[in-house]
Amino acid sequence: MQALEMKKKVVIIDYDLGNLFSVKLACESVGLNVEISGDKKIIKNADAVILPGVGSFGDAMNNLKQLDLISSLQDFALSGKPLMGVCLGMQLLFTSSEEFGNTQGLNLISGEIRKLRSTIDSPVKVPQIGWNTITSSKVPWLQTPLKNTPANSYMYFVHSFYAAPVNDAVTLTITKYGDNEYCSAIFKDNIFATQFHPEKSTETGVKIYKEWALMNNLI
Amino acid sequence: MVNIRVIPRLDIKGPNLVKGIHLEGLRVLGRPEDFAQYYYEQGADELMYVDVVASLYERNSLHDIISKTARRTFIPLTVGGGIRTIDDIKSVLRAGADKVSLNTAAVRNPTIIREASRKFGSSTIVVAIEAIKQPDGKYLAYVDNGREHTGIEVLSWAKKVEELGAGELIVTSVDNEGTGTGYNIELTKLIAENVSIPVIAHGGPGTLKDFGTVLKDGKADALSVASVLHYDYIKKIEHTMHHRTEGNIEFLKSNRSFQKINPTGITEIKQYLLSNFYECRH
């Protein structure tokens, strides 16, 4: 009983957008104790937070605002506790997005969100839906949740926009799609985020949740 | 550069995997979750379940199958068949699906596409277009597994669906479905060249070259595959002691009317794609 109470709790942020259940299933499969919640108090007391999301940046920020979660998430990140973003959840961590003019994000990572390009020389469908590879950047993966992920692993992507960090030092992986060569994962102090969906990327992806959990003593 | 997805499609009736021809004449092949697990292990890029009878009374078994599959396979799972409302979508997603496929509901009430893509994200909403070629050469959309005529021309429908916010299209040729005569290239190309969202080709492949043709000439972005994979899996498991499948597979041994379908595994399909210079996860 005591062991159960001691177990670290990870909160998956529910802001009424997209599907949180596959993230939950993947987390549970690696032994994480997860709760889906949009309650400020529960988030504050969490040992770690995962910000998932699919859909539009503007809708997501509106929902976070309406649920009064913007400062909760910013405070959580400043507390130094682990924060993981997935897909739109990674994009929301940035300063702003060019979607619908210019929408402000959580501003935890400096940079902006831009639309994927399709060019005459390299025509691609946007959104990108499907598998693509992640290659290493200048930042070594050894001290990150990707430490056991082979370079050039295939990951599952679903997105029309990508993150362009101001500082290269946060870029953990690079992905190419048509004419676009973009940052597909970031790592900065307690913040880790992926544009791809590790929970939909076979055991190779699920292992990333496991490494993140181990690194942060969550399991 | 762009990786072609191979997506096994599993038609479900009650607790069983079934397969028909022209979406009709269903035969029971076994337990869908066993087939799904095998395809996952063989390198399937996504999975698709379609409840072909879509009877509301059978919903519990569908949810049970979704939930079992979602706990064991970590690739995207699309579920279609009988999904009519936002609440239906929510309940299928909560059972563990990642995307839903809409056909009848979208035709009857197109605004559900906008509402659903806004609420769950465009990428969660796949629209299924089931087409039958008319004597005048036009392709019209059908609903209820190719049984009911809508009078809607497929290309204008595809464009409208894209505008309403669908993330992907799965385009079925009811004429070719289950026949092994190859995908309908004309239909696939008509739609794939005129929308900017991905098009999943469905219906008809019997041999490896059919996959190459629909990619090259049909401009498909992804391949939905059923019979060739199911028959391959059945062939493999019928020799094992642990064959728990209770399907009607006698018809496969009799080898009648299925000469055009060469049972092929996912690995072979991917090797074929790679050797023809298509990229795919491998």
Side-chain angles (χ1 to χ4, degrees):
Chain A
M1 200 60 209
Q2 203 168 9
L4 266 177
E5 281 164 10
M6 302 266 295
K7 200 161 179 184
K8 299 281 182 67
K9 190 198 274 176
V10 179
V11 171
I12 299 172
I13 307 293
D14 180 5
Y15 54 108
D16 203 23
L17 201 73
N19 181 16
L20 318 171
F21 290 89
S22 51
V23 173
K24 181 169 183 268
L25 291 177
C27 287
E28 285 173 351
S29 80
V30 302
L32 279 166
N33 172 31
V34 289
E35 179 178 349
I36 291 177
S37 175
D39 183 309
K40 282 198 290 187
K41 280 192 213 106
I42 291 175
I43 293 167
K44 193 175 181 209
N45 291 321
D47 294 297
V49 154
I50 297 175
L51 183 61
V54 292
S56 92
F57 191 99
D59 284 350
M61 286 308 293
N62 269 338
N63 287 13
L64 288 177
K65 195 173 175 183
Q66 258 159 31
L67 292 163
D68 195 18
L69 291 182
I70 291 179
S71 58
S72 305
L73 288 169
Q74 287 168 332
D75 291 346
F76 191 89
L78 291 174
S79 76
K81 289 192 276 189
L83 170 63
M84 178 171 171
V86 179
C87 195
L88 181 63
M90 163 169 162
Q91 298 181 3
L92 297 174
L93 304 175
F94 282 78
T95 316
S96 64
S97 167
E98 67 173 26
E99 185 185 3
F100 305 128
N102 197 329
T103 312
Q104 296 303 303
L106 294 170
N107 199 24
L108 296 167
I109 306 282
S110 295
E112 68 164 2
I113 306 304
R114 297 177 186 154
K115 184 144 195 184
L116 289 168
R117 289 178 308 269
S118 178
T119 61
I120 294 165
D121 291 339
S122 296
V124 285
K125 295 225 169 168
V126 176
Q128 171 177 211
I129 300 183
W131 298 82
N132 206 333
T133 49
I134 53 171
T135 57
S136 44
S137 62
K138 288 170 198 156
V139 182
W141 292 0
L142 198 63
Q143 309 286 330
T144 78
L146 296 183
K147 68 177 199 182
N148 283 323
T149 305
N152 301 311
S153 288
Y154 285 93
M155 297 289 162
Y156 193 83
F157 288 81
V158 178
H159 65 127
S160 299
F161 291 80
Y162 66 94
V166 168
N167 184 355
D168 264 356
V170 303
T171 301
L172 189 57
T173 67
I174 292 167
T175 295
K176 285 183 191 166
Y177 185 60
D179 195 30
N180 306 279
E181 191 175 69
Y182 62 94
C183 161
S184 50
I186 53 166
F187 186 74
K188 188 194 175 206
D189 307 323
N190 57 325
I191 297 176
F192 168 64
T194 63
Q195 179 59 65
F196 50 88
H197 290 268
E199 70 281 3
K200 290 287 121 190
S201 301
T202 72
E203 274 76 10
T204 312
V206 175
K207 202 188 281 168
I208 296 173
Y209 284 103
K210 186 165 192 180
E211 293 299 340
W212 177 73
L214 287 170
M215 260 181 69
N216 295 298
N217 300 313
L218 299 167
I219 50 175
Chain B
M1 185 78 77
V2 174
N3 289 288
I4 301 298
R5 288 171 285 156
V6 176
I7 308 174
R9 167 172 167 138
L10 297 93
D11 287 347
I12 292 169
K13 183 181 177 184
N16 295 313
L17 172 68
V18 293
K19 191 70 198 78
I21 299 180
H22 307 308
L23 302 175
E24 294 274 9
L26 304 175
R27 294 170 196 271
V28 172
L29 299 183
R31 298 201 317 186
E33 57 269 40
D34 295 344
F35 285 71
Q37 181 72 32
Y38 178 74
Y39 297 150
Y40 173 63
E41 287 161 9
Q42 294 294 304
D45 293 309
E46 298 189 21
L47 293 167
M48 184 168 195
Y49 279 155
V50 178
D51 183 358
V52 287
V53 280
S55 152
L56 293 172
Y57 306 104
E58 303 269 18
R59 279 320 224 192
N60 288 339
S61 70
L62 179 69
H63 284 184
D64 188 42
I65 295 165
I66 296 170
S67 153
K68 276 185 194 153
T69 304
R71 284 177 189 282
R72 292 178 203 154
T73 60
F74 299 103
I75 49 174
L77 171 63
T78 303
V79 174
I83 295 168
R84 311 247 181 252
T85 64
I86 294 289
D87 280 345
D88 289 346
I89 297 174
K90 202 181 274 173
S91 83
V92 165
L93 295 177
R94 281 187 184 247
D98 299 290
K99 314 184 202 183
V100 295
S101 138
L102 304 173
N103 180 11
T104 311
V107 168
R108 300 238 159 94
N109 169 27
T111 55
I112 194 176
I113 302 171
R114 175 169 287 150
E115 204 184 333
S117 60
R118 198 82 190 183
K119 184 156 180 64
F120 304 105
S122 275
S123 58
T124 307
I125 309 302
V126 182
V127 170
I129 299 180
E130 289 167 3
I132 296 181
K133 191 174 187 174
Q134 305 300 304
D136 65 0
K138 277 190 188 142
Y139 285 94
L140 296 185
Y142 280 65
V143 293
D144 286 331
N145 290 304
R147 277 177 225 123
E148 198 183 320
H149 180 270
T150 65
I152 302 171
E153 191 276 313
V154 293
L155 180 56
S156 59
W157 177 231
K159 286 181 176 170
K160 183 171 179 189
V161 157
E162 176 181 24
E163 195 186 300
L164 287 167
E168 282 178 284
L169 298 175
I170 175 160
V171 177
T172 301
S173 163
V174 178
D175 304 310
N176 294 31
E177 206 276 331
T179 62
T181 53
Y183 289 100
N184 186 325
I185 305 304
E186 184 183 53
L187 169 69
T188 311
K189 185 181 177 188
L190 174 72
I191 297 182
E193 282 198 329
N194 287 293
V195 296
S196 59
I197 52 179
V199 169
I200 306 163
H202 175 236
T207 60
L208 283 172
K209 71 167 178 35
D210 294 336
F211 300 112
T213 312
V214 79
L215 295 173
K216 183 170 176 281
D217 300 330
K219 314 288 179 197
D221 299 288
L223 305 165
S224 165
V225 193
S227 307
V228 294
L229 294 179
H230 302 339
Y231 300 167
D232 180 63
Y233 179 52
I234 290 167
K235 257 178 51 183
K236 286 194 174 105
I237 57 172
E238 71 185 348
H239 304 294
T240 70
M241 297 294 287
H242 305 290
H243 180 196
R244 288 175 298 169
T245 308
E246 287 162 14
N248 167 17
I249 56 172
E250 287 305 311
F251 75 96
L252 284 174
K253 294 177 190 159
S254 71
N255 215 14
R256 277 177 296 129
S257 71
F258 291 93
Q259 301 96 327
K260 287 187 172 142
I261 294 172
N262 290 326
T264 309
I266 289 169
T267 320
E268 291 159 273
I269 295 174
K270 291 204 164 180
Q271 276 164 1
Y272 171 83
L273 294 179
L274 291 166
S275 65
N276 283 276
F277 309 106
Y278 290 102
E279 300 274 333
C280 60
R281 179 175 68 98
H282 59 281

